[in-house]
Amino acid sequence: VWTNQLNNGNTSLVSAIPADFANADGNDTWVLTGPNGLYYATILTADEGATWALTLDRVSWGVIGNATPGGWDADTDMTVAEDMGTITYTLTGATMTVGDFKFRMNDDWPRQLAYGDLTAITGTSAGLLSDNGGNIALSTAGTYDLIITTTDNGATYSLEFN
């Protein structure tokens, strides 16, 4: 549920409501009608905040880098599942080589997230995703399960060596 509080409930000042929302009460409460999941919200204002537009992009995750099956040229997409507010993105049985990789959101560099301090991964590893973090170095080639878990507290990742 999204509430139009940016304009103190004055929906006449709203220049664009995303197509995935429907007005729930005829006033200032809007309900997501599109698929459940994680969305990236962008709010653009004009006229010193007198009008604004909300854009929602459904979030997808993938891995990219010379340690991944697609290299630096193509993301390897992850699958998504939701359970009671926790959204999990998984890539199972990925053949990884020694090298670097990043988790990348929506096949796009401007919104990349990756854990930036990890120097090498051997076996099972986990960490926090940080905006515009550095490459994650993988020092052991093999088959991995890669998992991103998002909750209200942020996003974490884990890698499990098979």
Side-chain angles (χ1 to χ4, degrees), residues 22-88:
N23 190 284
D25 61 4
N27 293 311
D28 63 354
T29 301
W30 298 79
V31 177
L32 179 68
T33 58
N36 288 336
L38 185 63
Y39 285 81
Y40 186 88
T42 304
I43 298 174
L44 300 175
T45 63
D47 307 324
E48 296 182 11
T51 60
W52 56 275
L54 173 67
T55 304
L56 293 177
D57 294 313
R58 186 166 164 79
V59 172
S60 64
W61 284 97
V63 292
I64 192 166
N66 61 357
T68 70
W72 286 110
D73 295 325
D75 288 342
T76 303
D77 292 332
M78 303 174 83
T79 59
V80 62
E82 181 183 16
D83 182 33
M84 302 297 291
T86 298
I87 301 169
T88 305

Side-chain angles (χ1 to χ4, degrees), residues 63 67-70 76-78 90-97 138 140-146 159-162:
V63 292
T68 70
T76 303
D77 292 332
M78 303 174 83
T90 306
L91 179 59
T92 304
T95 301
M96 306 283 282
T97 60
L138 189 68
T140 303
T143 304
Y144 287 83
D145 295 338
L146 295 87
L159 287 87
E160 299 172 4
F161 185 76
N162 294 328

